[in-house]
């Protein structure tokens, strides 16, 4: 809350632009649609925009109707204005109300409407994938920073149980679930996510059970478990694979949908967040108030989640915001290349790729590209504002 | 120093193995039948016996050539219903069908009988010359898509075979009987008992890794050319353009950085830094599209060629053809390097500001050196060390960011090769590119880490000396 007020005071232009973009993203259906917002049909008030049938407004007779600001859906074809109508030249429209303010593409789709709906898709992908990435990144980063290489002590019993539990988690969790569902409906992304989730769950269960067993059997001899080295290797592995190459390879293999893109980016883009959370946790961990918390006998979990994480989240938030910009750029790059999202979904990148086919229609490149640029600029600027705030 | 270097290099080994496992895991989970991709789907429709025998020998050859008849990894974790020898079945879809059926049914022996009866029916159907041949083949294709024995029974109930060929009828009866057997003995308790199969060194992963180490990246599915050669030729272009754009970004970025340090807080500097910041947010494919539209298409200012490399080929030499190449590469290089120009100037500014507070700058001023001498000769010299280590970070970014620009300007580099191979589903090329670029990035970060350490040591050394 404080942060939002800070941003609004620091640079109101950036703040209100972000609000506008989020507003457009949330209410895209209300701003650009080929069905009326409110209409009267046989004396009853109806809200046709809500109804997702493919009927166009011209197909039904309404007594009166209120059209949205842009009376076109991103996929509705205007047969009178095919072959890329320029925004500045005369168009074959009924009135100025139906003018294509930013022109049309080869098959007569409205560019403005496409950009409005592209905002929605970009925000969903940017925020969704970063939600996944920050959960993964903060989790691993916090654990690596908190336990380090010499803090986590485990017994030999734990070392024996660990492979066993991973095996059990894999077999009874993952193997049984995947095999009982019908094979064609399971995608590669789901397999990866399920597998990781089950193995992680079994590792956590194993650690808590063996802590309990250690107390029960009074095992005194403990060895250190190098958590940091293992997590750093994990980060290095994900960081070393060129993320864009991997994303296009994966996006070409799995079914094209926005949901899959969110998962792919989320599962790969967490390394920066993890690295900086780790560094920040390391810094906070040695402060005196943590020592006193330890002296008071608080549990590790309480110290980590209540005292260390809230402080280290501040610096991770910079990389989350940078990551949103990165994810939006990645999504638009993918749809520009023509992999990733399905053909029905309209994205800034897919509109821009139309410009490649007919280079004389400059409006196909200028406007969606500017939308990408503006959004990336806003998020990058937001990240630097938060960074400056953290510094002082 | 030596200790750290050794530790760093040793730790890169598990990372390398981890990367190879990730890439290998994706590569074996790609949808579709690899053999069909290699041979081509159309050949499977041929119906006469001679070509069928040919195809079967060809499939066998291809399977041994690409090691597809081996289990994928050192070990397999599965349940008791599955057989150890499942990987020997050549037909990808059949393999999936049988293992799913075994899981649902719990009895591998009956599933095996069912498999034999299907094989028998298939060969009888191929031998048959009447119209029931296609009908039976179609039935088999349909059977392979089913998941449970109930579905098999259901499909069989709706199928009527009328034929004068007794062998065919007999084979069909056997199939019917084996499905009935499957249905009669269902025991799913075995699926809850895990099974660990040790496959030994004869597996796909081991062959893939040993081939990688001996420099053999496999053979392309499509044109049977060695993948290493294909990537090598493509990498030449990507590396050439990357080096050119690194040179460009350093030679523009450093003066810009020094300028903005020298004229700090002047209006011109503020404008420049805002400009450089916003350059970061420009997507490279947008800039490339705009440049093509306004400077390469016939509508506006056709100054530059819009794609390709001109007349350049392997045998070209001489200054004129080289200049022609540069002329063709000018737009791509601009798109390639604008964001690293901003990055380098930002880094220059940061490390120059660090240096300017040092003592020797004050000494230099007191000695009466001019500002230009101070900035360009003394401060920049020391500030350039962190800049050099940035090459290790910049190079991988340039390589992996290359594919959009190569795609737009049709440059035959690695990114273009990757996109083309993905479109053709030529997976050996795709996964080799992933592997090679991952290793390049690993080496790049390793080198830049070590360089940084060396530099850091120098700094700490000088501090010690000063105090």
């Amino acid at each position: 809350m404080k942060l939002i007020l800070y941003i609004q005071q620091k640079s109101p232009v950036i703040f209100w632009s972000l609000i506008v973009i989020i507003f457009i993203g949330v209410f895209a259906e209300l701003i650009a649609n080929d069905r009326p917002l409110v209409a009267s049909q046989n004396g009853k008030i109806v809200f046709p925009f809500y109804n997702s049938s493919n009927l166009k407004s011209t197909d039904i007779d309404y007594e009166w109707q209120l059209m949205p600001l842009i009376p076109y859906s991103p996929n509705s074809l205007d047969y009178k204005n095919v072959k890329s109508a320029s925004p500045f030249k005369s168009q074959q429209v009924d009135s100025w109300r139906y003018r294509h303010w930013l022109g049309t593409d080869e098959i007569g789709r409205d560019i403005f409407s496409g950009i409005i709906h592209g905002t929605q898709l970009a925000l969903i992908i940017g925020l969704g994938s970063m939600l996944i990435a920050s959960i993964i990144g903060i989790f691993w980063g916090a654990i690596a920073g908190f336990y380090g290489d010499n803090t986590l002590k485990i017994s030999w019993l734990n070392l024996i149980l660990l492979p066993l539990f991973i095996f059990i988690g894999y077999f009874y969790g993952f193997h049984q679930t995947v095999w009982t569902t019908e094979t064609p409906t399971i995608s590669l992304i789901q397999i990866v996510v399920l597998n990781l989730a089950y193995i992680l769950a079994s590792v956590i269960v194993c650690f808590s059970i063996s802590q309990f067993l250690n107390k029960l059997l009074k095992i005194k001899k403990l060895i250190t478990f190098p958590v940091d080295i293992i997590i750093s290797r994990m980060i290095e592995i994900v960081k070393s694979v060129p993320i864009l190459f991997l994303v296009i390879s994966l996006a070409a293999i799995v079914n094209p949908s926005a949901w899959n893109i969110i998962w792919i980016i989320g599962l790969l883009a967490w390394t920066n967040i993890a690295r900086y959370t780790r560094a920040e946790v390391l810094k906070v961990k040695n402060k005196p108030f943590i020592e006193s918390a330890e002296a008071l006998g608080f549990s590790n979990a309480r110290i980590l989640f209540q005292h260390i994480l809230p402080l280290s989240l501040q610096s991770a938030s910079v990389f989350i915001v940078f990551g949103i910009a990165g994810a939006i750029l990645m999504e638009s790059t993918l749809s520009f290349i023509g992999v990733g999202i399905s053909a029905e979904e309209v994205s800034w990148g897919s509109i821009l790729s139309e410009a490649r086919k007919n280079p004389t229609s400059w409006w196909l490149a200028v406007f969606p590209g500017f939308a990408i640029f503006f959004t990336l600029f806003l998020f990058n600027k937001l990240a630097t504002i938060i960074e400056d705030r953290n510094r002082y | 120093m030596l200790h750290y270097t050794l530790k760093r290099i040793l730790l890169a080994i598990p990372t390398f193995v981890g990367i190879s496992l990730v890439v290998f895991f994706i590569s074996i989970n790609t949808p579709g039948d690899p053999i069909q991709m290699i041979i081509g789907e159309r050949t499977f429709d041929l119906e006469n016996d001679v070509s069928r025998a040919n195809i079967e020998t060809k499939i066998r050859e291809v399977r041994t050539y690409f090691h597809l008849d081996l289990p994928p990894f050192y070990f397999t974790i599965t349940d008791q219903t599955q057989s150890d020898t499942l990987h020997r079945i050549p037909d990808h879809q059949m393999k999936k069908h049988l293992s799913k059926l075994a899981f649902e049914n719990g009895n591998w022996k009956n599933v095996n009988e069912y498999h034999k009866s299907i094989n028998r029916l298939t060969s009888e159907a191929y031998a048959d010359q009447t119209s029931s041949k296609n009908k039976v083949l179609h039935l088999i294709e349909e059977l392979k898509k089913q998941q449970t024995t109930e579905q098999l029974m259901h499909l069989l109930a709706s199928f009527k075979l009328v034929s004068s060929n007794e062998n065919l009828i007999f084979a069909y009866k056997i199939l019917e009987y084996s499905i009935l057997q499957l249905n009669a003995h269902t025991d799913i308790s075995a699926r809850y008992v895990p099974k660990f199969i040790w496959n030994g060194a004869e597996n796909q992963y081991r062959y893939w890794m040993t081939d990688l180490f001996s420099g053999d990246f496999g053979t392309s599915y499509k044109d049977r050319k060695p993948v290493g050669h294909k990537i090598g030729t493509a990498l030449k272009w990507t590396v050439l353009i990357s080096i050119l754009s690194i040179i460009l970004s350093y030679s523009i970025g450093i003066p810009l950085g020094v300028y903005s340090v020298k004229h700090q807080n002047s209006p011109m500097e503020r404008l420049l830094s805002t400009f450089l910041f916003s350059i970061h947010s420009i997507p490279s494919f947008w800039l490339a599209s705009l440049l093509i539209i306004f400077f390469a298409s016939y509508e506006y200012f056709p100054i530059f060629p819009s794609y390709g490399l001109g007349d350049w080929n392997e045998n070209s030499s001489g200054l004129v053809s080289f200049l022609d190449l540069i002329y063709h590469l000018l737009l791509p290089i601009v798109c390639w390097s604008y964001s690293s120009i901003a990055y380098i100037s930002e880094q220059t500014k940061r490390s120059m500001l660090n240096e300017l507070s040092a003592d020797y700058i004050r000494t230099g001023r007191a000695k009466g050196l001019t500002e230009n001498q101070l900035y360009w000769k003394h401060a920049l010299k020391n500030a350039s060390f962190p800049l050099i280590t940035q090459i290790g970070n910049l190079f991988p970014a340039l390589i992996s960011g290359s594919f959009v620009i190569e795609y737009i300007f049709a440059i035959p580099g690695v990114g273009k090769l990757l996109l083309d191979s993905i479109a053709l589903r030529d997976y050996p090329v795709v996964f080799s590119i992933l592997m090679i670029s991952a290793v390049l990035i690993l080496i790049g970060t390793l080198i830049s880490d070590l360089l940084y350490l060396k530099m850091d040591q120098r700094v700490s050394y000088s501090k010690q000396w000063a105090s």
Side-chain angles (χ1 to χ4, degrees):
Chain A
M1 207 53 227
K2 258 185 191 167
L3 185 68
I4 295 173
L5 277 177
Y6 175 82
I7 295 160
Q8 197 211 343
Q9 277 170 6
K10 184 82 187 176
S11 60
V13 181
I14 302 288
F15 179 77
W16 289 110
S17 311
L18 273 168
I19 295 286
V20 166
I21 285 206
I22 291 168
F23 180 83
I24 291 174
V26 172
F27 296 108
E29 293 286 325
L30 293 173
I31 298 168
N33 210 317
D34 60 358
R35 291 183 296 274
L37 291 176
V38 187
S40 170
Q41 190 180 16
N42 306 329
K44 273 196 295 185
I45 303 282
V46 286
F47 301 95
F49 80 93
Y50 185 65
N51 179 352
S52 61
S53 70
N54 289 324
L55 289 173
K56 279 184 75 176
S57 59
T58 45
D59 300 340
I60 313 168
D61 288 325
Y62 296 115
E63 281 114 48
W64 56 266
Q65 59 180 36
L66 176 69
M67 286 305 281
L69 203 61
I70 299 152
Y72 294 102
S73 278
N75 280 325
S76 54
L77 310 178
D78 185 351
Y79 298 107
K80 292 180 218 147
N81 291 303
V82 288
K83 301 255 171 229
S84 323
S86 168
F88 296 138
K89 289 178 185 142
S90 70
Q91 296 172 350
Q92 299 284 321
V93 286
D94 300 339
S95 68
W96 64 269
R97 188 75 180 72
Y98 285 87
R99 200 179 156 75
H100 300 279
W101 294 105
L102 299 184
T104 62
D105 70 356
E106 190 73 35
I107 52 175
R109 290 179 296 191
D110 188 54
I111 300 300
F112 206 166
S113 174
I115 288 177
I116 299 285
H117 282 255
T119 315
Q120 192 175 40
L121 188 72
L123 284 183
I124 287 175
I125 287 179
L127 297 174
S129 58
M130 273 307 121
L131 182 71
I132 296 167
S134 43
I135 289 172
I136 303 173
I138 289 170
F139 180 78
W140 288 126
I143 286 184
F146 186 68
Y147 286 110
D149 275 342
N150 347 314
T151 319
L152 187 65
K153 300 255 195 297
I154 58 166
S155 64
W156 52 268
L157 188 70
N158 203 329
L159 269 190
I160 297 169
L161 285 180
L162 193 61
L164 190 74
F165 267 81
I166 291 178
F167 185 82
I168 290 173
Y170 171 80
F171 183 75
Y172 288 102
F174 173 72
H175 184 79
Q176 300 288 337
T177 328
V178 168
W179 279 69
T180 36
T181 35
E182 293 200 358
T183 25
T185 56
I186 283 267
S187 76
L188 183 67
I189 300 299
Q190 278 166 305
I191 288 177
V192 171
V193 172
L194 272 178
N195 206 342
L196 292 179
Y198 278 117
I199 288 178
L200 181 64
S202 52
V203 168
I204 291 173
V205 169
C206 172
F207 271 89
S208 41
I209 284 184
S210 44
Q211 289 290 347
F212 176 71
L213 282 179
N214 284 349
K215 273 179 198 155
L216 201 70
L217 300 173
K218 297 199 174 88
I219 297 174
K220 285 276 153 58
K221 207 176 167 192
L222 296 175
I223 36 176
T224 52
F225 190 68
V227 188
D228 194 24
I229 287 188
I230 293 175
I231 293 176
S232 300
R233 282 327 95 199
M234 246 164 61
I235 293 175
E236 211 173 74
I237 290 170
V238 180
K239 226 185 95 191
S240 296
V241 181
I243 180 161
L244 267 172
F245 278 11
L246 191 57
V247 169
I248 29 170
S249 314
L250 281 176
I253 288 169
V254 301
N255 295 332
S257 80
W259 189 235
N260 278 341
I261 293 298
I262 289 175
W263 273 107
I264 294 175
I265 298 178
L267 286 177
L268 293 172
W270 53 272
T271 50
N272 269 343
I273 301 171
R275 274 167 63 213
Y276 284 92
T277 311
R278 173 182 168 273
E280 199 66 15
V281 168
L282 271 177
K283 219 190 281 171
V284 177
K285 197 174 74 172
N286 295 324
K287 296 228 162 119
F289 74 94
I290 300 298
E291 253 170 61
S292 52
E294 271 168 5
L296 282 169
F298 289 169
S299 70
N300 275 347
R302 183 171 169 183
I303 294 175
L304 181 59
F305 286 106
Q306 268 193 4
H307 301 284
I308 297 182
L309 261 191
L311 275 175
S312 34
L313 276 188
Q314 273 185 7
S315 72
S317 63
V318 176
F319 292 91
I320 295 173
V321 177
F322 270 130
I324 294 173
I328 291 174
L329 177 64
M330 219 175 277
E331 180 272 321
S332 53
T333 313
L334 286 182
S335 33
F336 179 77
I337 301 279
V339 292
I341 60 161
S342 59
E344 300 92 60
E345 286 165 312
V346 175
S347 135
W348 292 332
S350 66
I351 304 172
L352 228 163
S353 68
E354 300 273 323
R356 224 175 97 77
K357 288 167 206 153
N358 30 345
T360 49
S361 328
W362 54 267
W363 54 95
L364 291 178
V366 172
F367 300 124
F370 186 77
I372 304 172
F373 163 70
F374 188 59
T375 315
L376 294 188
F377 180 80
L378 284 182
F379 278 107
N380 283 338
K381 194 77 197 168
L382 179 67
T384 45
I385 290 172
I386 302 174
E387 200 179 14
D388 285 345
R389 180 174 181 260
N390 287 345
R391 199 175 291 154
Y392 303 120
Chain B
M1 176 70 195
L2 188 70
H3 177 74
Y4 180 84
T5 314
L6 271 178
K7 193 180 158 196
R8 194 72 187 68
I9 290 170
L10 281 179
L11 280 177
I13 294 169
T15 312
F16 175 75
V17 174
I19 294 168
S20 75
L21 283 176
V22 169
V23 174
F24 183 73
F25 172 79
I26 302 167
S27 77
I28 59 166
N29 276 295
T30 49
D33 182 357
I35 293 172
Q36 266 192 22
M37 283 172 215
I38 301 163
I39 297 180
E41 277 175 42
R42 226 176 277 161
T43 44
F44 275 74
D45 298 335
L46 290 175
E47 281 167 8
N48 58 44
D49 270 352
V50 183
S51 71
R52 187 168 162 265
N54 280 343
I55 285 168
E56 273 178 1
T57 44
K58 201 175 171 189
I59 287 177
R60 214 169 299 134
E61 272 172 24
V62 165
R63 272 167 60 79
T64 37
Y65 186 76
F66 286 99
H67 304 301
L68 290 169
D69 52 348
L70 298 176
F73 197 58
Y74 282 94
F75 58 83
T76 318
I77 296 174
T78 175
D79 52 75
Q80 289 290 348
T81 60
Q82 304 295 315
S83 146
D84 307 9
T85 51
L86 198 68
H87 56 85
R88 290 193 197 142
I89 297 166
D91 185 350
H92 192 71
Q93 206 183 357
M94 184 58 128
K95 193 158 56 186
K96 272 186 154 175
H97 171 61
L98 289 182
S99 75
K100 181 75 185 170
L101 213 56
F103 182 79
E104 292 292 337
N105 193 268
N107 196 330
W108 175 254
K109 222 177 108 191
N110 285 344
V111 173
N112 202 18
E113 287 301 317
Y114 163 75
H115 180 214
K116 276 183 194 160
S117 68
I118 275 205
N119 279 349
R120 180 169 183 164
L121 185 65
T122 317
S123 51
E124 290 298 341
Y126 275 114
D128 192 75
Q129 296 301 328
T130 61
S131 62
S132 45
K133 174 182 180 179
N134 284 340
K135 218 176 146 192
V136 171
L137 287 178
H138 182 72
L139 172 76
I140 292 167
E141 284 301 310
E142 282 299 306
L143 282 177
K144 281 200 276 187
K145 287 176 195 155
Q146 308 307 317
Q147 308 249 348
T148 58
T149 36
E150 283 85 53
Q151 287 168 344
L152 291 180
M153 299 278 286
H154 189 72
L155 193 70
L156 222 57
S158 62
F159 184 77
K160 282 261 179 314
L161 181 66
V162 186
S163 171
S164 54
N165 186 341
E166 279 181 13
N167 286 339
L168 189 67
I169 297 277
F170 184 62
Y172 178 72
K173 287 277 185 249
I174 292 180
L175 176 73
E176 225 170 20
Y177 176 72
S178 71
I179 291 178
L180 279 174
Q181 280 287 318
L182 265 181
N183 202 30
H185 305 282
T186 309
D187 174 27
I188 58 166
S189 62
R191 71 157 85 149
Y192 297 115
V193 185
K195 184 181 193 178
F196 186 86
I197 307 169
W198 179 256
N199 295 320
E202 284 291 301
N203 60 58
Q204 290 181 30
Y205 177 73
R206 212 266 305 180
Y207 275 104
W208 186 62
M209 283 296 273
T210 42
D211 284 352
L212 273 188
F213 273 111
S214 59
D216 174 13
F217 293 97
T219 315
S220 162
Y221 281 174
K222 289 300 154 188
D223 49 12
R224 291 288 184 102
K225 276 185 191 160
V227 173
H229 179 72
K230 279 182 114 167
I231 296 178
T233 31
L235 202 61
K236 244 178 5 202
W237 287 110
T238 308
V239 169
L240 171 75
I241 299 179
S242 296
I243 288 173
L244 285 177
S245 63
I246 282 181
I247 293 171
L248 188 73
S249 47
Y250 271 85
S251 54
I252 296 178
I254 289 179
L256 281 181
V258 176
Y259 175 86
S260 47
V261 171
K262 228 166 126 182
H263 303 264
Q264 226 181 352
N265 293 329
S266 72
M268 189 61 199
E269 191 268 335
R270 276 196 200 154
L271 197 71
L272 186 71
S273 69
T274 318
F275 175 71
L276 286 177
F277 182 81
S278 45
I279 262 187
H280 259 309
S281 307
I282 295 178
S284 58
F285 59 92
W286 184 38
L287 186 71
S289 303
L290 290 182
L291 286 177
I292 285 191
I293 287 174
F294 291 111
F295 295 109
S297 78
Y298 288 103
E299 194 85 347
Y300 304 100
F301 310 99
I303 307 170
F304 292 103
S306 60
Y307 61 85
L309 302 166
D311 301 328
W312 182 268
N313 57 44
E314 298 282 310
N315 310 319
S316 316
S317 59
L319 193 64
V320 178
S321 58
F322 183 70
L323 283 178
D324 184 54
L325 181 71
I326 293 296
Y327 173 62
H328 276 84
L329 288 181
L330 203 64
L331 287 187
I333 287 176
V334 168
C335 298
W336 214 303
S337 51
Y338 71 90
S339 110
S340 32
I341 289 175
Y343 181 70
I344 288 297
S345 76
E346 177 64 32
Q347 293 294 325
T348 313
K349 196 174 149 186
R350 209 170 271 180
S351 84
M352 281 285 276
L353 283 177
N354 264 340
E355 289 298 325
L356 284 180
S357 55
D359 287 341
Y360 68 89
I361 296 292
R362 212 166 357 139
T363 320
R365 273 220 184 85
K367 248 168 56 176
L369 292 176
T370 62
E371 286 293 290
N372 271 338
Q373 270 178 321
L374 266 180
Y375 280 100
W376 288 99
K377 223 173 152 186
H378 295 265
L380 186 62
K381 203 174 181 181
N382 288 313
S384 61
F385 281 101
L387 289 176
I388 291 166
T389 62
Q390 292 299 337
I391 292 184
N393 295 331
L394 212 57
F395 196 62
L398 282 171
I399 286 187
S400 65
S402 65
F403 71 94
V404 197
I405 295 156
E406 285 174 4
Y407 168 77
I408 296 173
F409 291 102
I411 295 163
V414 178
K416 183 94 183 356
L417 181 66
L418 179 71
L419 283 176
D420 291 347
S421 310
I422 286 175
L424 290 169
R425 298 190 171 269
D426 194 352
Y427 290 126
V429 183
V430 174
F431 295 115
S432 301
I433 290 178
L434 269 182
M435 203 60 213
I436 290 174
S437 39
V439 170
L440 279 182
I441 291 178
L442 198 64
I443 294 170
T445 32
L446 195 74
I447 290 173
S448 103
D449 271 13
L450 292 179
L451 274 177
Y452 194 79
L453 181 85
K454 195 152 171 63
M455 189 201 74
D456 208 25
Q457 217 177 30
R458 186 187 64 95
V459 171
S460 61
Y461 205 76
S462 69
K463 261 187 198 150
Q464 238 175 30
W465 203 72
S467 64

